[in-house]
Amino acid sequence: MFLPFHPVPLAPALVTLSPSQPRRSPSPGAGLPQHGPAIALGTCRAPGAAAPMVSPEGLVAVAVVLAGLGLLARCLWAGRLEVPGAWGEEEEEGIPLIAKDGLWRCRLLCKPSALAQHLVRSLGRSVVLRGGRWSWPRWPQLQMLWQLLQPPEPEPVLARELLQLPDTGLVALDWLVGPWGTMGAGGGDPSPVLLLIPNAAGKVTGALLQLGLRALERGFVPVIFNRRGHNGCPLTTPRFQPFGDPRDLREAVTYLRCRHPTAPLLAVSEGSGSGLLLAYLGESGSSSRLAAAACLSPVFSGRDWFEAGMPWLYEWPLLLHLKQGLSRYAGSLSEAVDVDRLLRSRSLRELEETLFCRTKSRPTSWDTYWERNEPLRDADEAAVPVLCICSADDPVRGPPARSLPTELFRSSPYFFLLLTPRGGHCGFPRQGQGRCWGHEVVLEYFKAMAEFLRAEEKRKGPPRPRRSGGPTVEPPVFTWQRSYTR
C-alpha cells in the first residue's frame, strides 16, 4: 500500500517551493556559445566542382578531438588492468562476507562487538546482496562513469525548501516526493528520514537520485542536502561551505529533527561529500541526532586527496563544473576573494586554497585550514555507527594502503569498513533489480540497524508508567549506548 506524502507546515524561516523536476547542475560548458567549424560528412558536389578546402582551424579541432579520444581510451584501458598490490594486506584482514566468487569477495573490517556480530549475520544472509551480476567488473573507470551519467529511472519529483541560517545564508533541502509516495514503515511506526549528502562539488548525480528512489520504494523519506550556492541554491552571503565545516549541516539536521520528532534520522554521503558527514559525526559526538550513517566511496583524508590530485579524466570536468558555478557569483565573491585568480585555477587544490585560504578579510594558511576541516579530526568522538563502503580499485580515492585508515576501523566500535576488490568510485553497478550493489548494501545496513535497536528495546522492556498519574512523558530522542558496541 502506498501512502501519499503530506508536507508539514514550515517554520517562518523556511521558503517552500512547489514540487518540480530535479534540478541538475549543467555539464561543464553547457549554455556557452559554441565557436567552431561544422564538419559535414558525405556531402555531394557537382561534377567538376572544386573540392572544398578544410580550414586550419578545422584540422586543429579534429586533431584535438582525436587526441582526446585517444587519451580517454588509454585511461580506460589502463583502468581495466590489475593494479599490483591494490587488494594488498587488507585481503587478510576483516571478516569474509558474501564470498561467492572472486568478484563478490568482500570483507568487513571492524572491532568485535555485539553490533558487529549482528551486522555480519544480517548482511551475510541478505538475498538482495547476492542477486544479479556485476557490470564491467575489471573496468573501474567505466563503472564510475556509468553511475554518474546514467539518469535515474523513473524520473524523480522533488519539492524544495530553503532553510535560512543564523548568518542569513541559505541551504536547500530537496524532498523526493514522487513519482510515487513513500511506503509506510508498517505497524504505525513513522517512516525513517534519510538525508542524502552529495559530493563536495555539490553535483547531485543520477546515482544519488537513484538511491533516493530505492529508499522511497522501501519506506524511507529521502531528502537531499544542498550546500550554499550549490545545485541552484541561492548564495546570499559571500562565503561557501568549507570541505569539513559541519555547521550548516547541523542546522539542517536540527530542522529535520524538529519536523520529524519521532522518526529515525539516517544519513548517507557520496564520494567527497563524506568528508562533511564524517566531520559532523566527530564534532557532534552523542548529540548528532542520527541513528546510523553510511558513506559510499568516502574520502577520509581531505588534505592528502587534494595534494595527490585525481586523474585528469575526473579532475578537469570537476574543475570546470566548480568554476561554472563560481562564475555566477563573481560579483558577490569579489568582496571576499580574488575572483580572477579563482577562475584561473588549474587544479582542485589551487581552487580550494584560493577560495578558503587566500581570502581578503581573514587569510589563513593551508595547514591551518586542514586542522579545522580534516574529516577525521574528531573521529574518536563519533558515537553513531558508520558503514563505509569502499573498493580496492577506486581510481579517485587512491590505493587502499595509503587512503584507508584501517587502524580506525580496528579500534573504534562505531566504524565499519566493507571493502570489495571491485566497484570503482561510487560505482558498484550490477544487472537486475537495484542496479547499484552499494545502494542495496546501504539500505540493508539501515534495516539491520533498525532490527538491532528493536531487539535491544524488547530485551530491556517498555518504560515503566508514572505512579503519580501525572502527564505522560514522551520517550527520549534515541542515543547510542556504549553497551551496544562492546
Side-chain angles (χ1 to χ4, degrees), residues 170-192:
L170 295 175
V171 295
L173 298 176
D174 290 338
W175 298 86
L176 273 75
V177 296
W180 51 75
T182 181
M183 296 180 63
D189 297 331
S191 298

Side-chain angles (χ1 to χ4, degrees), residues 207-272:
L208 191 69
L209 290 173
Q210 192 67 44
L211 173 58
L213 289 175
R214 290 291 293 168
L216 195 65
E217 286 184 71
R218 298 180 63 168
F220 294 83
V221 179
V223 55
I224 301 174
F225 172 78
N226 298 283
R227 308 188 194 202
R228 304 171 183 232
H230 285 180
N231 195 31
C233 179
L235 184 68
T236 57
T237 58
R239 65 177 294 266
F240 281 84
Q241 186 174 3
F243 186 83
D245 184 354
R247 286 179 291 180
D248 293 354
L249 180 60
R250 184 180 297 110
E251 295 291 334
V253 171
T254 301
Y255 165 70
L256 293 176
R257 172 52 63 203
C258 293
R259 177 167 176 170
H260 298 271
T262 60
L265 185 57
L266 312 167
V268 59
S269 56
E270 184 182 58
S272 55

Side-chain angles (χ1 to χ4, degrees), residues 163-463:
L163 178 62
Q164 188 173 23
L165 305 173
D167 65 346
T168 70
L170 295 175
V171 295
L173 298 176
D174 290 338
W175 298 86
L176 273 75
V177 296
W180 51 75
T182 181
M183 296 180 63
D189 297 331
S191 298
V193 178
L194 179 58
L195 181 62
L196 305 171
I197 302 177
N199 55 45
K203 176 68 175 178
V204 179
T205 62
L208 191 69
L209 290 173
Q210 192 67 44
L211 173 58
L213 289 175
R214 290 291 293 168
L216 195 65
E217 286 184 71
R218 298 180 63 168
F220 294 83
V221 179
V223 55
I224 301 174
F225 172 78
N226 298 283
R227 308 188 194 202
R228 304 171 183 232
H230 285 180
N231 195 31
C233 179
L235 184 68
T236 57
T237 58
R239 65 177 294 266
F240 281 84
Q241 186 174 3
F243 186 83
D245 184 354
R247 286 179 291 180
D248 293 354
L249 180 60
R250 184 180 297 110
E251 295 291 334
V253 171
T254 301
Y255 165 70
L256 293 176
R257 172 52 63 203
C258 293
R259 177 167 176 170
H260 298 271
T262 60
L265 185 57
L266 312 167
V268 59
S269 56
E270 184 182 58
S272 55
S274 300
L276 179 61
L277 178 57
L278 293 173
Y280 170 75
L281 294 174
E283 209 172 269
S284 302
S286 59
S287 304
S288 67
R289 302 176 184 269
L290 298 178
C295 301
L296 281 166
S297 300
V299 173
F300 294 101
S301 177
R303 178 171 184 171
D304 292 344
W305 184 66
F306 275 97
E307 292 179 352
M310 292 191 300
W312 69 270
L313 181 63
Y314 312 118
E315 183 163 10
W316 288 5
L318 185 59
L319 190 61
L320 289 174
H321 171 76
L322 288 170
K323 287 183 178 181
Q324 185 180 23
L326 292 170
S327 64
R328 300 172 184 172
Y329 306 106
S332 302
L333 291 175
S334 61
E335 305 174 4
V337 298
D338 185 348
V339 176
D340 293 336
R341 181 186 181 123
L342 185 67
L343 298 180
R344 290 197 308 266
S345 301
R346 301 178 62 87
S347 66
L348 291 177
R349 171 183 174 167
E350 185 179 353
L351 186 142
E352 188 82 3
E353 190 171 5
T354 304
L355 185 59
F356 297 109
C357 299
R358 301 179 182 273
T359 59
K360 296 180 179 180
S361 58
R362 295 181 179 180
T364 185
S365 66
W366 183 249
D367 295 337
T368 304
Y369 174 75
W370 285 113
E371 288 177 2
R372 301 171 181 171
N373 290 279
E374 198 62 64
L376 298 179
R377 62 186 182 274
D378 296 316
D380 294 340
E381 301 298 326
V384 171
V386 187
L387 177 66
C388 300
I389 305 174
C390 302
S391 65
D393 64 350
D394 190 330
V396 173
R397 189 199 65 242
R402 66 173 176 82
S403 61
L404 293 181
T406 53
E407 185 59 34
L408 174 65
F409 297 98
R410 297 190 197 102
S411 59
S412 174
Y414 295 102
F415 284 85
F416 302 87
L417 173 63
L418 185 60
L419 185 61
T420 67
R422 312 292 180 192
H425 182 77
C426 298
F428 311 100
R430 72 172 187 180
Q431 301 171 4
Q433 185 180 16
R435 64 191 188 191
C436 178
W437 182 82
H439 295 171
E440 302 303 316
V441 173
V442 168
L443 298 179
E444 286 294 309
Y445 160 72
F446 288 142
K447 177 183 176 183
M449 291 295 101
E451 292 174 350
F452 180 81
L453 293 177
R454 283 196 296 266
E456 288 294 322
E457 293 174 357
K458 184 177 180 180
R459 182 177 62 85
K460 294 183 178 181

